[in-house]
Amino acid sequence: MGLTKTEDAHSTKAASELSAAVWLVYINVALYATCYQLQRPIEPFLVKELGADNAGYGHLQSFFSAIQTVGAPVVGVLLSKYGTKAAFVVMFLASAMSYGILSQATSMEMLYLSKVPALLQHGFLVAQTAIADVTADGSSRTAALGRLTTAYTVGAAVGPALGGWLGASGDYYLGARLAVAGSLVSAALSLWGPSRPSLPLPTSGRKSADATDGTSVCGPGQTASVGAAVGELTSVAIAVFPLLLTKICTSVGNAMYQASMPLVLRDSFGFTESDMGFYMATFSCVSGVFSAVGIKVIADRFQPRQIIRLMLTGMIGGFILKALIGMQLSYVIDADADHIIEKSAAYTWLIITVLGALCAHTLAVVITSESTSLVSVGQRGTLMGIEHGSFSAARVVGPSLGVMLIASNFWHVDAAIAALDGCVLVYWMTLYVCPCPVLVYWMTLSDVQPTKIADKPDRSKKTD
């Protein structure tokens, strides 16, 4: 039976409001990324100016990640209880506080203090939850999350370029002051953002956890005990165990790369503040375009399990090539101190770095999309908290490992990451052929069959 004019008008109005709310999330994420990335190309130089060495920079990154490890599950539970709107406002206010302290930091102790408000600084976590709440399972959600990544990379392109340009003028704090203003603007905009969907979501042909009666133990308006919150964290982690394990392992390698890359560019390739900003901005532009177009094409063409294997293979190949090229470049760098020659010789190395990062981008988006389809709507905030908390936990050890490896030679970190990702690929190649005891335990507790991750929904079936 068709809709009446009144019902159709209400449906059109609701869809329009939902679309506007989603675009507001994209805008806020772009602004969040701009503010966050303003200081990123400058921080290695600021740390050096304050008297710390490379190890000090690595310890600072590890401290930041430790703070976020604790904060991510907390934000996830708060998301499940209070919704995305409140979480956005609190997160942006925490970001403004962090940047405000950073803008006054004249010692390493102040830099450490500026990282403490990062306990609640999880903008992408909140944004992913908001998008997952208003999209259907399958490739449509993967595409929406890809567009969210594009929104982030727009800011991640503007932020480093602007921050590097400002830092080149000699003021290492101007970017932080701008970030305070941007965060306060985002906090105000968030008051008009989405909280929880008010209409039934469209569903794909695949039956997801949303179709069940499972709800969060600390949903909106409910009061949850600490024990109930811990129980929910445990049950959600078990439900997505293989995907979560993959994300944790690859996140360690990603953290090693992110911490060591600025130091390699600064010390081995002679990059200045503006050079660093330009490279980071270029990388973000490429990632943004790929996220907007490429991820949906891949998601429509391949099964999720195939995508995971392909992306892992691409990451491993990229890091192996980088290690081989790095071995050759290390001899050139040792023999010639001309930075122009060094940067020219590094172009191939940098291009491979970008291609490998695109594979990592795709892997992360697909894992998030699949994970959200395995839990109920009310548990998605908790899931995002677990994912981001695991990623932050990996970054506690990753930066120190990366800095330690480049102390001997910068290509050693690429070889180590290739080996780590290789272990993850072997895990996925044997996951459904020779299940390990841990996988059997996961399947028993979560009642999730391997085909739920491996198979695409049948879009030929209509849903009511």
Side-chain angles (χ1 to χ4, degrees):
M1 179 181 292
L3 295 175
T4 66
K5 291 184 178 180
T6 302
E7 290 173 331
D8 186 61
H10 284 308
S11 178
T12 302
K13 180 181 178 182
S16 177
E17 291 175 350
L18 185 60
S19 178
V22 169
W23 276 103
L24 183 58
V25 171
Y26 291 156
I27 292 170
N28 259 345
V29 162
L31 189 53
Y32 168 79
T34 300
C35 295
Y36 179 77
Q37 298 285 344
L38 274 171
Q39 202 68 13
R40 189 176 170 217
I42 301 304
E43 196 162 60
F45 298 93
L46 178 59
V47 168
K48 187 175 182 179
E49 185 175 275
L50 295 179
D53 56 10
N54 287 353
Y57 175 77
H59 294 328
L60 179 66
Q61 300 306 307
S62 294
F63 177 76
F64 172 72
S65 298
I67 291 292
Q68 290 218 307
T69 300
V70 176
V74 174
V75 172
V77 173
L78 291 177
L79 267 169
S80 294
K81 184 175 182 181
Y82 297 108
T84 54
K85 182 184 296 185
F88 265 130
V89 173
V90 171
M91 185 276 303
F92 282 121
L93 291 178
S95 298
M97 183 182 297
S98 174
Y99 302 137
I101 298 173
L102 177 60
S103 68
Q104 304 297 321
T106 56
S107 65
M108 286 299 297
E109 290 75 17
M110 287 288 286
L111 273 185
Y112 276 96
L113 182 61
S114 72
K115 305 300 182 184
V116 174
L119 182 78
L120 301 174
Q121 192 179 1
H122 293 277
F124 203 64
L125 183 163
V126 181
Q128 283 181 316
T129 305
I131 296 301
D133 280 347
V134 296
T135 54
D137 296 342
S139 63
S140 62
R141 178 174 298 156
T142 301
L145 291 170
R147 289 191 293 271
L148 181 66
T149 303
T150 299
Y152 183 91
T153 52
V154 168
V158 175
L162 180 58
W165 178 73
L166 293 173
S169 67
D171 188 346
Y172 288 170
Y173 301 100
L174 182 55
R177 292 193 287 271
L178 289 176
V180 172
S183 297
L184 293 176
V185 170
S186 287
L189 290 175
S190 297
L191 297 174
W192 287 272
S195 182
R196 287 289 180 198
S198 57
L199 292 175
L201 298 182
T203 58
S204 64
R206 174 177 56 188
K207 180 180 179 182
S208 75
D210 297 347
T212 71
D213 294 331
T215 57
S216 170
V217 297
C218 52
Q222 297 180 355
T223 301
S225 66
V226 174
V230 172
E232 179 173 349
L233 288 169
T234 303
S235 65
V236 171
I238 291 174
V240 297
F241 174 75
L243 297 169
L244 182 62
L245 180 63
T246 301
K247 202 155 196 174
I248 292 173
C249 293
T250 54
S251 292
V252 172
N254 184 54
M256 293 167 63
Y257 155 75
Q258 287 189 346
S260 60
M261 186 70 172
L263 301 178
V264 171
L265 294 178
R266 185 194 68 187
D267 298 336
S268 298
F269 297 154
F271 273 43
T272 64
E273 296 92 337
S274 58
D275 291 332
M276 194 87 74
F278 177 77
Y279 167 74
M280 291 180 179
T282 302
F283 166 76
S284 296
C285 286
V286 174
S287 299
V289 172
F290 180 79
S291 297
V293 180
I295 290 181
K296 187 179 189 316
V297 173
I298 294 173
D300 287 338
R301 185 175 180 84
F302 297 101
Q303 304 286 347
R305 185 164 38 139
Q306 291 176 320
I307 297 174
I308 291 173
R309 291 175 173 177
L310 287 173
M311 295 305 107
L312 284 170
T313 302
M315 292 163 62
I316 295 166
F319 281 115
I320 290 176
L321 285 176
K322 283 178 61 183
L324 294 174
I325 295 173
M327 292 175 64
Q328 296 180 331
L329 287 178
S330 63
Y331 293 114
V332 175
I333 292 172
D334 291 339
D336 193 339
D338 189 337
H339 295 325
I340 296 178
I341 293 178
E342 290 174 6
K343 284 186 285 188
S344 175
Y347 284 159
T348 302
W349 189 81
L350 292 174
I351 290 172
I352 295 174
T353 297
V354 172
L355 294 177
L358 294 180
C359 291
H361 250 331
T362 305
L363 178 66
V365 170
V366 170
I367 287 178
T368 298
S369 178
E370 289 302 300
S371 297
T372 54
S373 70
L374 297 178
V375 298
S376 66
V377 172
Q379 292 177 322
R380 284 174 183 159
T382 302
L383 170 63
M384 292 296 99
I386 293 173
E387 277 202 5
H388 286 256
S390 301
F391 178 67
S392 297
R395 289 187 296 173
V396 172
V397 297
S400 297
L401 285 175
V403 172
M404 179 183 69
L405 288 170
I406 64 172
S408 54
N409 211 311
F410 72 88
W411 60 268
H412 289 176
V413 70
D414 295 314
I417 297 173
L420 178 61
D421 290 346
C423 293
V424 179
L425 178 61
V426 170
Y427 171 73
W428 274 95
M429 293 296 290
T430 59
L431 184 59
Y432 300 106
V433 178
C434 302
C436 64
V438 175
L439 176 62
V440 173
Y441 177 70
W442 162 72
M443 291 171 60
T444 301
L445 291 185
S446 63
D447 194 28
V448 175
Q449 299 302 315
T451 53
K452 192 163 189 180
I453 295 177
D455 296 336
K456 275 188 171 182
D458 182 2
R459 296 185 178 86
S460 63
K461 296 181 180 180
K462 295 183 179 179
T463 58
D464 295 333

